[in-house]
Amino acid sequence: MCGVIGYVGGKQAAPLMLDALEKLEYRGYDSSGIAVCGASGIQLAKRKGRLSVLRACTHDGADLPGCTGIGHTRWATHGEPSDVNAHPHLSRSGKVALVHNGIIENYAELREFLAERGYTFISDTDTEIAVQLIDYFYRGDPVHAVRETVNMLVGAFSLSIIFADYPDRMIAVRKDSPLVIGVGENENFIASDIPALLTHTRDIIRLGEYEMAVIDAHNIVVFDRFGEKVKKEIQHVTWDAGAAEKGGYPHFMLKEIMEEPEAIRNTVHPRIHTGDIELEIQHIPEAAFKTLDRIFIVACGSAYHVGVVGKGYIEKFARVPVTVELASEFRYNDPIITTRTLTVIISQSGETIDTLLALREAKARGSHILSIVNVVGSSIANESEDVLYTWAGPEIAVATTKAYSTQLTMLYLLALKLGALRGNVSPSEMETYIKVLEDLPAKIDGLLGERELLQRLAAKYFSSKDIFFIGRNLDYALALEGSLKLKEISYIHSEAYAAGELKHGTISLIEPGTLAVALCTYAPLLDKMVSNIREVKARGATVIALCQAGAQDVAAVADHVIEVPAGDWLVMPSLSIVPLQLFAYYMALAKGCDIDKPRNLAKSVTVE
Ligand code: G6P
């Protein structure tokens, strides 16, 4: 969360940074700001609200001339969104400006330390403490001042800093929060995330924990925490610039839903070889998979919901007990882990701090760590024993869609592979199950062509106050995601319930006109779902049922029916999620919501 950009080179920094920040607005968008080092020292502009406000008040950056600068789009943690709390923050002397992503946990203590030394503060942020600390330590040597400061900070941070005395230089340092350096020709960049860099360069350097980079237009020198120079590798990112553009779609979310078939193909095909699955697992020994006593799946948000479906897959194919835990809970739950435990970490960004800290906890307790990650080289990928990348490409909309779908297919592949290794899936079963997966993208293509029904349903029900999603088994796991998608972007209150559990409490909330979305694709429990639909209908609910094509029993009881192509119930979640994502999208569209940037949310959550 929070988008960070830095530029040093021969171009005007301000307009370039405003364009780059636009690509990072998904990381936070309650306020934004830029600081530029020009002939007259550091100039600053920052505003509450969307980036367009900052653009307008700086005349698209023209008001801040200079070729070195830092910029920020904020997701507030300490202090409400306001002009004064927006980043960059300027030091008392006016000589240092800084942007920050993360949380400085000991800021109260440091504030006192600085107050005792005569510093006063104008914002409510933890960030202002960092810039004043640098100011306090600064005696003409920026590297020394930043190092002294970093040694006093507790928490997660990535800091990008400019000094008025060194107008052609930037300094970047990080711990636990993401930061990449873009390597250009006679120009260099800092960014919190790759999409901001793609129009300029695809060569990047990732800073490690506590590493500090001193960057000018021609050189990037990286030091470790002890001041020793570190030789860094330049990585080449294969994402093309167009992948982070809307490409004619009104919203990134719709574009990313439409990209799902391709993303799934890219994730599945390279791993299928003559009827078998080959995963790029190099460090966890094969023998370890055969003797597992337990698997934890740990993740946040939608990635957690993928885990709930994945538990069904792994327990069916591999017959190992699976516990799915929210990363923010797992870490503090004193998890029972042995050397025969596998922890599967799922994350699109690879930077979610709750997930990263959970990974470290599992690792410290001796678990094998296998992660499913979309962003190559991200922190979670780096700290895992092995990584299975989802090849979804950059995902910009805050509400995840294509990353969710690729994670789902990745877990299906993993479950099958584990099943085969443990002798529970025969070669011929393997072939059948692989075929089911290979047929998936074409079926999703078909579903994407049938969006009209979902538009009509959204037009009819967008003013609903509460919507219930019900289902059983895998359909229940999917209901969790369908409901989350809807509330994230349309702000309609929604709950996901295991259909059989409704009668134990929640059914009291059903009243005439309440909308229930009943997921009925899980063939083994279809009859039971039909009964559950009848129960809510008897209390006045209106029911939209999602079922396999030709499910007459369901059609007979529901008010509306959304069909997905009939087939093996195992892959039904991958099909059903598409209409659910589109339903949420059209509901939000009908309500006039800001679909790609829903209120209060951020895509990559790098604070605990
Ligand atoms: C945020 C996003 C969610 C996402 C979750 C986990 O809350 O808004 O869409 O599912 O973080 O993100 P990750 O990058 O770890 O998958």
PDB file of all heavy atoms in Angstrom, residues 300-303 346-350 352 355 398 400 407 488 602-603 605, ligand 1:
ATOM      1  N   CYS A 300      -4.247 -13.987   2.721  1.00  0.00           N
ATOM      2  CA  CYS A 300      -5.195 -12.934   3.116  1.00  0.00           C
ATOM      3  C   CYS A 300      -6.204 -12.700   1.990  1.00  0.00           C
ATOM      4  O   CYS A 300      -5.884 -12.902   0.824  1.00  0.00           O
ATOM      5  CB  CYS A 300      -4.494 -11.598   3.312  1.00  0.00           C
ATOM      6  SG  CYS A 300      -3.215 -11.608   4.530  1.00  0.00           S
ATOM      7  N   GLY A 301      -7.342 -12.179   2.358  1.00  0.00           N
ATOM      8  CA  GLY A 301      -8.335 -11.725   1.375  1.00  0.00           C
ATOM      9  C   GLY A 301      -8.734 -12.828   0.411  1.00  0.00           C
ATOM     10  O   GLY A 301      -8.991 -13.969   0.801  1.00  0.00           O
ATOM     11  N   SER A 302      -8.751 -12.489  -0.859  1.00  0.00           N
ATOM     12  CA  SER A 302      -9.178 -13.454  -1.870  1.00  0.00           C
ATOM     13  C   SER A 302      -8.235 -14.647  -1.928  1.00  0.00           C
ATOM     14  O   SER A 302      -8.661 -15.769  -2.215  1.00  0.00           O
ATOM     15  CB  SER A 302      -9.226 -12.780  -3.240  1.00  0.00           C
ATOM     16  OG  SER A 302     -10.172 -11.754  -3.229  1.00  0.00           O
ATOM     17  N   ALA A 303      -6.964 -14.402  -1.675  1.00  0.00           N
ATOM     18  CA  ALA A 303      -5.995 -15.502  -1.713  1.00  0.00           C
ATOM     19  C   ALA A 303      -6.340 -16.534  -0.625  1.00  0.00           C
ATOM     20  O   ALA A 303      -6.159 -17.744  -0.812  1.00  0.00           O
ATOM     21  CB  ALA A 303      -4.586 -14.966  -1.521  1.00  0.00           C
ATOM     22  N   ILE A 346      -0.069 -18.150  -0.203  1.00  0.00           N
ATOM     23  CA  ILE A 346      -0.632 -17.659  -1.475  1.00  0.00           C
ATOM     24  C   ILE A 346      -0.692 -16.135  -1.448  1.00  0.00           C
ATOM     25  O   ILE A 346      -1.212 -15.547  -0.499  1.00  0.00           O
ATOM     26  CB  ILE A 346      -2.058 -18.213  -1.709  1.00  0.00           C
ATOM     27  CG1 ILE A 346      -2.083 -19.740  -1.537  1.00  0.00           C
ATOM     28  CG2 ILE A 346      -2.552 -17.840  -3.102  1.00  0.00           C
ATOM     29  CD1 ILE A 346      -3.479 -20.338  -1.624  1.00  0.00           C
ATOM     30  N   SER A 347      -0.162 -15.510  -2.495  1.00  0.00           N
ATOM     31  CA  SER A 347      -0.209 -14.048  -2.555  1.00  0.00           C
ATOM     32  C   SER A 347      -0.015 -13.570  -3.989  1.00  0.00           C
ATOM     33  O   SER A 347       0.918 -13.991  -4.661  1.00  0.00           O
ATOM     34  CB  SER A 347       0.895 -13.461  -1.672  1.00  0.00           C
ATOM     35  OG  SER A 347       0.949 -12.066  -1.818  1.00  0.00           O
ATOM     36  N   GLN A 348      -0.898 -12.722  -4.441  1.00  0.00           N
ATOM     37  CA  GLN A 348      -0.728 -12.115  -5.762  1.00  0.00           C
ATOM     38  C   GLN A 348       0.500 -11.233  -5.774  1.00  0.00           C
ATOM     39  O   GLN A 348       1.414 -11.412  -6.572  1.00  0.00           O
ATOM     40  CB  GLN A 348      -1.994 -11.302  -6.113  1.00  0.00           C
ATOM     41  CG  GLN A 348      -2.045 -10.727  -7.525  1.00  0.00           C
ATOM     42  CD  GLN A 348      -1.186  -9.499  -7.740  1.00  0.00           C
ATOM     43  OE1 GLN A 348      -0.402  -9.445  -8.697  1.00  0.00           O
ATOM     44  NE2 GLN A 348      -1.262  -8.517  -6.876  1.00  0.00           N
ATOM     45  N   SER A 349       0.524 -10.270  -4.859  1.00  0.00           N
ATOM     46  CA  SER A 349       1.598  -9.261  -4.868  1.00  0.00           C
ATOM     47  C   SER A 349       2.922  -9.814  -4.383  1.00  0.00           C
ATOM     48  O   SER A 349       3.983  -9.334  -4.769  1.00  0.00           O
ATOM     49  CB  SER A 349       1.201  -8.100  -3.966  1.00  0.00           C
ATOM     50  OG  SER A 349       1.058  -8.565  -2.630  1.00  0.00           O
ATOM     51  N   GLY A 350       2.861 -10.806  -3.499  1.00  0.00           N
ATOM     52  CA  GLY A 350       4.094 -11.302  -2.878  1.00  0.00           C
ATOM     53  C   GLY A 350       4.639 -10.334  -1.848  1.00  0.00           C
ATOM     54  O   GLY A 350       5.757 -10.497  -1.369  1.00  0.00           O
ATOM     55  N   THR A 352       2.300  -8.752   0.683  1.00  0.00           N
ATOM     56  CA  THR A 352       1.365  -8.542   1.796  1.00  0.00           C
ATOM     57  C   THR A 352       2.075  -8.834   3.115  1.00  0.00           C
ATOM     58  O   THR A 352       2.539  -9.958   3.337  1.00  0.00           O
ATOM     59  CB  THR A 352       0.132  -9.444   1.613  1.00  0.00           C
ATOM     60  OG1 THR A 352      -0.417  -9.158   0.331  1.00  0.00           O
ATOM     61  CG2 THR A 352      -0.915  -9.215   2.686  1.00  0.00           C
ATOM     62  N   THR A 355       1.038 -11.768   5.352  1.00  0.00           N
ATOM     63  CA  THR A 355       1.385 -13.057   4.751  1.00  0.00           C
ATOM     64  C   THR A 355       2.886 -13.310   4.868  1.00  0.00           C
ATOM     65  O   THR A 355       3.322 -14.415   5.178  1.00  0.00           O
ATOM     66  CB  THR A 355       0.921 -13.087   3.275  1.00  0.00           C
ATOM     67  OG1 THR A 355      -0.402 -12.577   3.205  1.00  0.00           O
ATOM     68  CG2 THR A 355       0.948 -14.478   2.710  1.00  0.00           C
ATOM     69  N   VAL A 398      -8.013  -3.088  -7.839  1.00  0.00           N
ATOM     70  CA  VAL A 398      -7.818  -3.483  -6.433  1.00  0.00           C
ATOM     71  C   VAL A 398      -8.479  -4.847  -6.166  1.00  0.00           C
ATOM     72  O   VAL A 398      -7.914  -5.705  -5.504  1.00  0.00           O
ATOM     73  CB  VAL A 398      -8.355  -2.384  -5.483  1.00  0.00           C
ATOM     74  CG1 VAL A 398      -8.486  -2.895  -4.065  1.00  0.00           C
ATOM     75  CG2 VAL A 398      -7.411  -1.179  -5.522  1.00  0.00           C
ATOM     76  N   THR A 400      -9.180  -8.386  -6.872  1.00  0.00           N
ATOM     77  CA  THR A 400      -8.487  -9.371  -7.701  1.00  0.00           C
ATOM     78  C   THR A 400      -9.470 -10.248  -8.475  1.00  0.00           C
ATOM     79  O   THR A 400     -10.544 -10.595  -7.975  1.00  0.00           O
ATOM     80  CB  THR A 400      -7.564 -10.248  -6.841  1.00  0.00           C
ATOM     81  OG1 THR A 400      -6.901 -11.186  -7.694  1.00  0.00           O
ATOM     82  CG2 THR A 400      -8.329 -11.019  -5.777  1.00  0.00           C
ATOM     83  N   GLN A 407      -4.507 -18.646  -9.280  1.00  0.00           N
ATOM     84  CA  GLN A 407      -4.132 -19.299  -8.014  1.00  0.00           C
ATOM     85  C   GLN A 407      -4.947 -20.595  -7.824  1.00  0.00           C
ATOM     86  O   GLN A 407      -4.427 -21.612  -7.373  1.00  0.00           O
ATOM     87  CB  GLN A 407      -4.399 -18.357  -6.831  1.00  0.00           C
ATOM     88  CG  GLN A 407      -3.425 -17.187  -6.753  1.00  0.00           C
ATOM     89  CD  GLN A 407      -3.940 -16.045  -5.885  1.00  0.00           C
ATOM     90  OE1 GLN A 407      -5.086 -16.051  -5.447  1.00  0.00           O
ATOM     91  NE2 GLN A 407      -3.095 -15.058  -5.641  1.00  0.00           N
ATOM     92  N   GLU A 488     -16.674  -5.565  -1.747  1.00  0.00           N
ATOM     93  CA  GLU A 488     -15.496  -4.724  -1.996  1.00  0.00           C
ATOM     94  C   GLU A 488     -15.804  -3.567  -2.950  1.00  0.00           C
ATOM     95  O   GLU A 488     -15.394  -2.446  -2.700  1.00  0.00           O
ATOM     96  CB  GLU A 488     -14.396  -5.555  -2.690  1.00  0.00           C
ATOM     97  CG  GLU A 488     -13.459  -6.288  -1.783  1.00  0.00           C
ATOM     98  CD  GLU A 488     -12.381  -7.037  -2.576  1.00  0.00           C
ATOM     99  OE1 GLU A 488     -12.705  -7.708  -3.590  1.00  0.00           O
ATOM    100  OE2 GLU A 488     -11.226  -6.956  -2.193  1.00  0.00           O
ATOM    101  N   ALA A 602      -6.797  -0.975  -0.578  1.00  0.00           N
ATOM    102  CA  ALA A 602      -5.572  -0.835  -1.370  1.00  0.00           C
ATOM    103  C   ALA A 602      -5.208  -2.220  -1.861  1.00  0.00           C
ATOM    104  O   ALA A 602      -5.584  -3.224  -1.248  1.00  0.00           O
ATOM    105  CB  ALA A 602      -4.454  -0.266  -0.535  1.00  0.00           C
ATOM    106  N   LYS A 603      -4.489  -2.278  -2.946  1.00  0.00           N
ATOM    107  CA  LYS A 603      -4.223  -3.582  -3.538  1.00  0.00           C
ATOM    108  C   LYS A 603      -3.146  -4.363  -2.792  1.00  0.00           C
ATOM    109  O   LYS A 603      -3.274  -5.548  -2.547  1.00  0.00           O
ATOM    110  CB  LYS A 603      -3.801  -3.419  -4.996  1.00  0.00           C
ATOM    111  CG  LYS A 603      -3.610  -4.759  -5.670  1.00  0.00           C
ATOM    112  CD  LYS A 603      -4.006  -4.736  -7.087  1.00  0.00           C
ATOM    113  CE  LYS A 603      -4.118  -6.128  -7.663  1.00  0.00           C
ATOM    114  NZ  LYS A 603      -5.333  -6.830  -7.277  1.00  0.00           N
ATOM    115  N   VAL A 605      -1.157  -4.681   0.530  1.00  0.00           N
ATOM    116  CA  VAL A 605      -1.300  -4.187   1.904  1.00  0.00           C
ATOM    117  C   VAL A 605      -0.025  -4.488   2.679  1.00  0.00           C
ATOM    118  O   VAL A 605       0.187  -5.612   3.135  1.00  0.00           O
ATOM    119  CB  VAL A 605      -2.549  -4.786   2.571  1.00  0.00           C
ATOM    120  CG1 VAL A 605      -2.734  -4.206   3.967  1.00  0.00           C
ATOM    121  CG2 VAL A 605      -3.776  -4.485   1.730  1.00  0.00           C
TER     122      VAL A 605
HETATM  123  C1  G6P B   1      -5.715  -6.828  -0.316  1.00  0.00           C
HETATM  124  C2  G6P B   1      -6.465  -6.822  -1.633  1.00  0.00           C
HETATM  125  C3  G6P B   1      -7.145  -8.172  -1.861  1.00  0.00           C
HETATM  126  C4  G6P B   1      -6.110  -9.283  -1.781  1.00  0.00           C
HETATM  127  C5  G6P B   1      -5.356  -9.253  -0.444  1.00  0.00           C
HETATM  128  C6  G6P B   1      -4.169 -10.194  -0.440  1.00  0.00           C
HETATM  129  O1  G6P B   1      -6.596  -6.815   0.753  1.00  0.00           O
HETATM  130  O2  G6P B   1      -7.437  -5.779  -1.659  1.00  0.00           O
HETATM  131  O3  G6P B   1      -7.753  -8.198  -3.147  1.00  0.00           O
HETATM  132  O4  G6P B   1      -6.743 -10.511  -1.939  1.00  0.00           O
HETATM  133  O5  G6P B   1      -4.820  -7.939  -0.209  1.00  0.00           O
HETATM  134  O6  G6P B   1      -3.232  -9.740  -1.375  1.00  0.00           O
HETATM  135  P1  G6P B   1      -2.083 -10.634  -1.994  1.00  0.00           P
HETATM  136  O7  G6P B   1      -1.296  -9.695  -2.851  1.00  0.00           O
HETATM  137  O8  G6P B   1      -1.281 -11.158  -0.845  1.00  0.00           O
HETATM  138  O9  G6P B   1      -2.739 -11.717  -2.758  1.00  0.00           O
END
